[in-house]
């Protein structure tokens, strides 16, 4: 395809330039493989393991092996039984297991055929290769117990802090991180890559810390500092410190966290209504990273900001974390909808803070990890009393009092007018209330009509969901105003508007939560009468399983305080799992893959740490440093492990000895994330609006991608083309796809072409000659000066002879040249 007006020579030039300057581009195969494995794990855990555990293991497990067959482990599955192999991976039609469950000859299970959905799940699983996680323990029996072996799983053990290795002839290591890394490399007989060039490193650091490229002036200043500094390390540390204090640091790091907690600015599903105030939560996260809020405080503010006390609006805003899930505005099954919402909140807490897939134990005891249904519902019990609040404001007590005083003056002055308005609209409200409530099941209607003082937390939330539909459905209560009443209302509103000068501006609105002040609803395992109290998973409790968890479960019969107690436990310095999880996440953000490659699954279905001693050492240091994320970031990027080049002199040998690329013997080349691509084009063209915070904007507004309105069910922007998270699920590792639509968006998209036009204008204005314009364009886009050959070829393209035969810079060709730069590997990838 060819852009309108584009010359054939330019099409050829684009193709040639792309080929010349994509050398060194490496696909992020490891990240893609992790995403693929994660999906296969999910399918196995949710669809296959329950079938095998409930239908097969009683006759083909540890206690019985009818026909010599065991189906409780991968080894048993592949070994087969007396009749030979039972599964031909990739071919269900030739697999005895599928024939048996289809009751074609053998009839399994013997008591009754499999339900159609289970039969289809098994068939699809075998056709897709019969994936079985390598790290999975044998399927658990039906009676759940937590064993000593469970408690000794690496993620659940207390920190095992070892001294960094002391290595002979170590001329490479700059600190403890490097010594741990080098020790593993020596075990594999692999040497680390050399340090990348200072020019490469400043670009890498700028994107890693700020999400934007460095300016040519910043690069020149850093290179000069390196040349004149007492050591490279001193100059590098000064640069790192500057970037850590740059407010753009918080903007960029926030994006990783927002992906993880499924941040979006719309309800999701159906109407997908925009949430006009949730951006305050996004700004809270940005500010928390910039302020280096200690991680336990960061967790507590999000989980229990409304319960922390004090007079801090930011804590209330932070509790918007619990409002990020999907809401269906027209859902009549309010009870089922709320149950799904609370379950999803529970799942998020498990994934984000514990790195454990708690959802697997919602309906049955986990068959691999030591997580029972009781554990799941005990975690849910912390969240059971939550109610949604839309009437709170991000203001201090003093600000609220001042506002109330000013509002009182307006209310006194407008009392008669407002009374007339109320008398006019009240009949419409009454009819709409009746119409709205009548559409719900009788038990939900009863919740609405129960006085607030007599409600449980669940009943109060049901009433809330009813009231949301009163406001949002069918245009609201005033849509059916008669023509006469509408005219009267408009006249009254004009009179009311005459007093606007007296009315204070509204206080900042927030989406927040509270703990119901009355009776909390009981948490029960479905089908069981017993009430489950709030408690941490049994495997994570101190001491013997029967001992109560400190500060959790005591005095928490009432709703308020439950989430604060949970947050206190999560942030306890003696609780190793949450700290391990966040340290691993930060390593992943900086190195491209975690020390635990499955950052949301520290259980047996996930992968074990590649450097367990290093992970525990970093975690201990993180705790000692007051849970400072900035100090952790600095530690990582100051290490020689991070400073390595992406190019290794003996890459084939290193890959033979470390095919998983897990031992950190080079830097990973990565493609820019969606926001980085868009922001970098705006930045180098000089059009990026660097304002921080505030309401989100439309995609055409030249602000950072972080501030572009994000809808769950819309994926038509350049950001979505390049794998932006959509807020529908918790994303710890983004997919990195390569698709034709990406190439079309970059080559033929109006947005990218417009950015190229702005860059062309900028360099023409800033340069004194065509040669300087070409050089400046490359410096801005690639973070380096062009080679002589690149400069000559660039000039040959942008110059065209005028009528007198003199070479002149062709502005349209300069736009096309800048367009080429944006499509090049050096722009889209970071070494």
């Amino acid at each position: 395809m060819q852009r309108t007006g584009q010359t054939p020579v330019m099409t050829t030039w684009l193709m040639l330039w792309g080929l010349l300057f994509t050398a060194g581009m490496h696909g992020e195969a490891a990240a893609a493989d992790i995403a693929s494995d994660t999906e296969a794990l999910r399918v196995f855990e949710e669809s296959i393991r329950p079938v095998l555990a409930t239908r097969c293991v009683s006759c083909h497990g540890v206690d019985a092996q009818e026909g010599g067959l065991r189906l409780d482990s991968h080894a048993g599955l592949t070994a087969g039984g007396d009749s030979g192999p039972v599964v031909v991976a990739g071919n269900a039609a030739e697999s005895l297991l599928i024939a048996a469950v289809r009751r074609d000859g053998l009839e399994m299970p013997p008591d009754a055929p499999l339900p159609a959905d289970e039969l289809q799940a098994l068939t699809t699983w075998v056709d897709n290769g019969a994936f079985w996680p390598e790290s999975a323990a044998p399927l658990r029996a039906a009676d759940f117990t937590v064993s000593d072996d469970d408690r000794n799983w690496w993620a659940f053990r207390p920190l095992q802090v070892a001294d960094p290795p002391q290595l002979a002839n170590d001329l490479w290591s700059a600190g403890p991180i490097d010594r741990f890394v080098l020790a593993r490399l020596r075990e594999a007989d692999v040497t680390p890559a050399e340090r990348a060039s200072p020019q490469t490193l400043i670009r890498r650091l700028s994107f890693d810390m700020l999400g934007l490229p460095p300016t040519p002036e910043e690069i020149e200043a850093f290179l000069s500092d390196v040349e004149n500094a007492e050591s490279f390390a001193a100059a590098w540390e000064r640069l790192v410190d500057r970037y850590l204090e740059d407010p753009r640091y918080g903007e960029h790091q926030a994006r990783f966290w927002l992906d993880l907690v499924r941040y979006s600015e719309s309800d999701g599903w159906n109407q997908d209504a925009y949430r006009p105030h949730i951006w305050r939560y996004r700004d809270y996260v940005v500010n928390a990273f910039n302020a280096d809020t200690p991680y336990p405080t960061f967790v507590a503010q999000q989980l229990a900001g409304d319960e922390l006390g004090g007079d801090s609006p930011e804590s209330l805003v932070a509790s918007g974390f619990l409002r990020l899930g999907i809401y269906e505005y027209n859902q009549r099954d309010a009870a089922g909808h709320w149950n799904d919402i609370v379950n999803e909140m529970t799942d998020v807490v498990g994934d984000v803070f514990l790195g454990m897939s708690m959802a697997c134990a919602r309906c049955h005891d986990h068959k691999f990890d030591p997580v029972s249904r009781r554990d799941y519902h005990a975690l849910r019990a912390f969240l059971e009393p939550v109610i949604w609040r839309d009437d709170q404001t991000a203001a201090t007590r003093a600000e609220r009092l001042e506002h109330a005083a000013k509002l009182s003056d307006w209310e006194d002055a407008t009392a008669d007018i407002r009374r007339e308005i109320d008398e006019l609209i009240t009949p419409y409200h009454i009819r709409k209330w009746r119409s709205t409530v009548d559409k719900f099941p009788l038990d939900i209607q009863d919740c609405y009509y129960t006085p607030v003082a007599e409600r449980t937390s669940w009943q109060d939330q049901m009433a809330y969901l009813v009231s949301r539909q009163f406001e949002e459905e069918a245009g609201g209560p005033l849509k059916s105003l008669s023509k006469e009443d509408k005219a009267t209302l408009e006249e009254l509103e004009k009179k009311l508007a005459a007093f606007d000068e007296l009315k204070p501006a509204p206080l900042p609105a927030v989406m927040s939560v509270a703990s119901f002040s009355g009776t909390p609803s009981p948490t029960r395992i479905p089908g069981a009468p017993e009430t489950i109290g709030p408690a941490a998973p049994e495997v994570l409790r101190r001491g013997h399983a029967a001992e109560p968890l400190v500060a959790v479960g005591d005095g928490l019969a009432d709703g308020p305080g439950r989430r604060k107690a949970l947050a206190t436990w999560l942030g306890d310095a003696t609780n190793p799992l949450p700290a391990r999880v966040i340290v691993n996440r930060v390593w992943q953000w900086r190195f491209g893959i975690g020390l635990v490659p499955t950052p949301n699954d520290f259980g047996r279905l996930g992968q074990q740490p590649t450097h367990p001693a290093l992970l525990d050492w970093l975690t201990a240091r993180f705790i000692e440093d007051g849970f400072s994320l900035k100090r952790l970031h600095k530690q990582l990027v100051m290490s020689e492990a991070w400073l390595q080049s992406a190019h290794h002199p003996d890459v084939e040998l290193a890959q033979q000895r470390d095919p998983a690329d897990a031992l950190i013997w080079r830097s990973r080349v990565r493609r820019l994330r969606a926001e980085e691509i868009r922001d970098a084009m705006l930045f180098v063209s000089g059009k990026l609006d660097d304002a921080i915070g505030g309401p989100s904007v439309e995609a055409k507004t030249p602000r950072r991608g972080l501030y572009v309105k994000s809808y769950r069910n819309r994926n038509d922007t350049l950001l979505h083309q390049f794998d932006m998270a959509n807020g529908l699920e918790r994303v710890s590792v983004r997919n990195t796809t390569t698709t034709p639509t990406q190439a079309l968006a970059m080559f033929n998209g109006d947005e990218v072409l417009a950015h190229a036009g702005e860059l062309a204008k900028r360099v023409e204005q800033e340069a004194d000659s065509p040669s300087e314009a070409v050089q400046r364009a490359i410096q801005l886009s690639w973070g380096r000066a062009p080679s002589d050959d690149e400069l000559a070829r660039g000039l040959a393209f942008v110059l065209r002879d005028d009528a007198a035969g003199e070479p002149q810079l062709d502005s349209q060709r300069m736009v096309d040249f800048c367009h080429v730069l944006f499509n090049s590997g050096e722009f889209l990838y970071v070494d």
Side-chain angles (χ1 to χ4, degrees), residues 746-758:
M746 292 298 295
F747 265 65
N748 294 328
D750 291 339
E751 183 176 352
V752 178
L753 184 60
H755 295 321
E758 294 295 341

Side-chain angles (χ1 to χ4, degrees), residues 347 578-579 596 599 633 650 666 674 727 829:
D347 300 345
V596 181
H633 279 296
D650 202 352
R666 66 175 175 184
Y829 284 77

Side-chain angles (χ1 to χ4, degrees), residues 205 208-210 237-250 253 289-292 590 628-635 637-638:
L205 184 71
D208 255 24
M209 290 297 192
L210 311 180
E237 184 171 15
R238 284 191 284 270
L239 181 67
V240 170
D241 287 342
R242 282 200 300 274
Y243 281 171
L244 285 172
E245 293 306 313
D246 191 312
R248 295 174 297 176
Y249 161 85
Q253 306 311 316
F289 275 104
N290 275 332
D292 199 21
R590 297 290 70 86
S628 168
L629 291 170
K630 282 190 175 183
R631 291 186 182 183
L632 178 58
H633 279 296
K634 182 174 179 178
Q635 271 186 292
V637 300
M638 289 292 294

Side-chain angles (χ1 to χ4, degrees), residues 37-58:
D37 287 351
T38 300
E39 175 61 15
L41 285 170
R42 185 193 65 78
V43 170
F44 183 85
E45 172 65 13
E46 294 181 2
S47 303
I48 304 306
R49 188 259 309 128
V51 177
L52 297 177
T54 58
R55 311 289 189 185
C56 308
V57 169
S58 59

Side-chain angles (χ1 to χ4, degrees), residues 18-19 89 96 126 188 206 216 243 263 286 371 392 394 432 459 462 534 564 602 646 669 712 747 753 761 774:
L19 287 173
L96 288 177
V126 173
S206 186
Y243 281 171
Y263 173 82
V286 172
V371 180
Q392 296 178 309
K432 182 63 166 61
Q459 290 173 320
M462 293 305 99
K564 181 180 177 181
F602 275 39
V669 176
R712 286 190 160 98
F747 265 65
L753 184 60
K761 289 179 187 178
V774 170

Side-chain angles (χ1 to χ4, degrees), residues 82-393:
D82 295 344
S83 301
V86 296
V87 165
V88 179
N91 192 340
E94 298 296 326
S95 298
L96 288 177
L97 174 65
I98 301 304
V101 295
R102 285 176 175 166
R103 310 180 85 75
D104 182 9
L106 295 172
E107 296 186 353
M108 297 295 167
D111 51 349
L114 282 182
D117 59 337
E118 295 183 4
L119 175 58
Q120 183 59 52
L122 280 177
T123 303
T124 302
W125 173 63
V126 173
D127 275 337
N128 288 340
F131 176 88
W132 192 302
E134 294 180 4
S135 61
L139 299 179
R140 285 179 171 270
D143 54 328
F144 180 90
T145 56
V146 174
S147 67
D148 290 340
D149 183 57
D150 291 328
R151 297 183 188 282
N152 200 40
W153 179 250
W154 70 267
F156 307 146
R157 289 197 304 257
L159 294 176
Q160 312 290 305
V161 185
D163 292 332
Q166 298 296 325
L167 305 171
N169 303 314
D170 179 7
L171 302 178
W172 178 72
S173 299
I177 291 174
D178 300 323
R179 300 212 295 273
F180 281 109
V181 170
L182 186 59
R184 288 296 315 277
L185 289 174
R186 286 186 175 180
E187 289 174 8
D189 197 19
V190 176
T191 58
E194 294 182 353
R195 184 189 294 165
S197 70
Q199 198 151 21
T200 296
L201 289 173
I202 183 175
R203 187 171 187 268
R204 184 194 300 173
L205 184 71
S206 186
F207 274 112
D208 255 24
M209 290 297 192
L210 311 180
L212 291 167
T215 66
E217 294 72 25
E218 289 174 329
I219 295 172
E220 184 178 352
F222 172 63
L223 296 180
S224 176
D225 192 20
V226 170
E227 184 177 348
N228 298 312
E230 58 275 25
S231 67
F232 170 83
W236 182 246
E237 184 171 15
R238 284 191 284 270
L239 181 67
V240 170
D241 287 342
R242 282 200 300 274
Y243 281 171
L244 285 172
E245 293 306 313
D246 191 312
R248 295 174 297 176
Y249 161 85
E251 290 181 306
H252 184 52
Q253 306 311 316
R255 187 67 263 177
F256 294 97
W257 186 261
L258 296 175
D259 280 7
L260 188 61
V261 299
R262 84 278 187 229
Y263 173 82
S264 182
E265 295 173 358
S266 71
D267 287 342
W269 309 135
N270 292 309
Q271 187 186 29
D272 204 24
Y274 186 70
R275 298 172 171 177
H277 307 302
I278 198 61
W279 61 266
R280 298 188 196 280
Y281 171 79
R282 175 250 291 152
D283 281 3
Y284 157 78
V285 177
V286 172
N287 294 334
F289 275 104
N290 275 332
D292 199 21
T293 301
Y295 186 65
T297 303
F298 185 58
V299 172
Q301 288 175 332
Q302 293 176 82
L303 270 179
D306 57 299
E307 294 185 345
L308 296 181
D311 193 24
S312 171
E314 71 173 2
S315 292
L316 192 62
V317 172
S319 70
F321 166 79
L322 297 173
R323 295 291 301 273
L324 296 178
I326 289 171
Y327 164 73
E328 295 186 82
Y329 84 102
N330 62 348
Q331 178 60 261
R332 307 298 186 202
D333 180 14
H337 187 29
W338 182 245
N339 185 58
D340 289 342
I341 288 170
V342 181
N343 279 338
E344 202 257 353
M345 284 195 289
T346 307
D347 300 345
V348 170
V349 170
D351 281 358
V352 172
F353 301 119
L354 295 175
M356 295 176 65
S357 183
M358 298 294 293
C360 298
R362 185 188 304 164
C363 304
H364 47 72
D365 295 341
H366 204 298
K367 298 304 179 182
F368 292 125
D369 291 334
V371 180
S372 67
R373 293 184 79 191
R374 174 179 287 274
D375 286 332
Y376 180 88
H377 289 86
L379 184 61
R380 172 178 164 141
F382 286 105
L383 304 168
E384 202 74 62
V386 164
I387 57 173
W388 286 359
R389 294 284 298 272
D390 297 322
D391 58 340
Q392 296 178 309
T393 58

Side-chain angles (χ1 to χ4, degrees), residues 591-672:
F591 282 85
I593 187 171
L595 293 170
V596 181
T598 50
N600 271 15
D601 197 341
F602 275 39
R604 294 185 185 274
L605 290 177
Q607 298 182 43
Q608 296 197 40
T610 57
H611 298 70
L614 173 56
L615 177 58
D616 274 10
W617 184 89
L618 280 171
T619 303
R621 179 67 180 270
F622 175 61
I623 294 171
E624 291 171 5
D625 284 342
F627 296 90
S628 168
L629 291 170
K630 282 190 175 183
R631 291 186 182 183
L632 178 58
H633 279 296
K634 182 174 179 178
Q635 271 186 292
L636 302 190
V637 300
M638 289 292 294
S639 69
E640 290 294 335
W642 190 91
L643 294 168
Q644 288 180 96
S645 170
H647 308 285
H648 195 282
D650 202 352
V651 66
E652 291 185 4
L653 177 63
Q655 286 180 328
Q656 288 175 4
R657 293 174 176 169
D658 178 30
D661 203 11
L663 298 184
I664 319 172
W665 44 269
R666 66 175 175 184
S667 175
R668 290 172 177 266
V669 176
R670 69 170 181 88
R671 194 186 71 196
L672 298 180

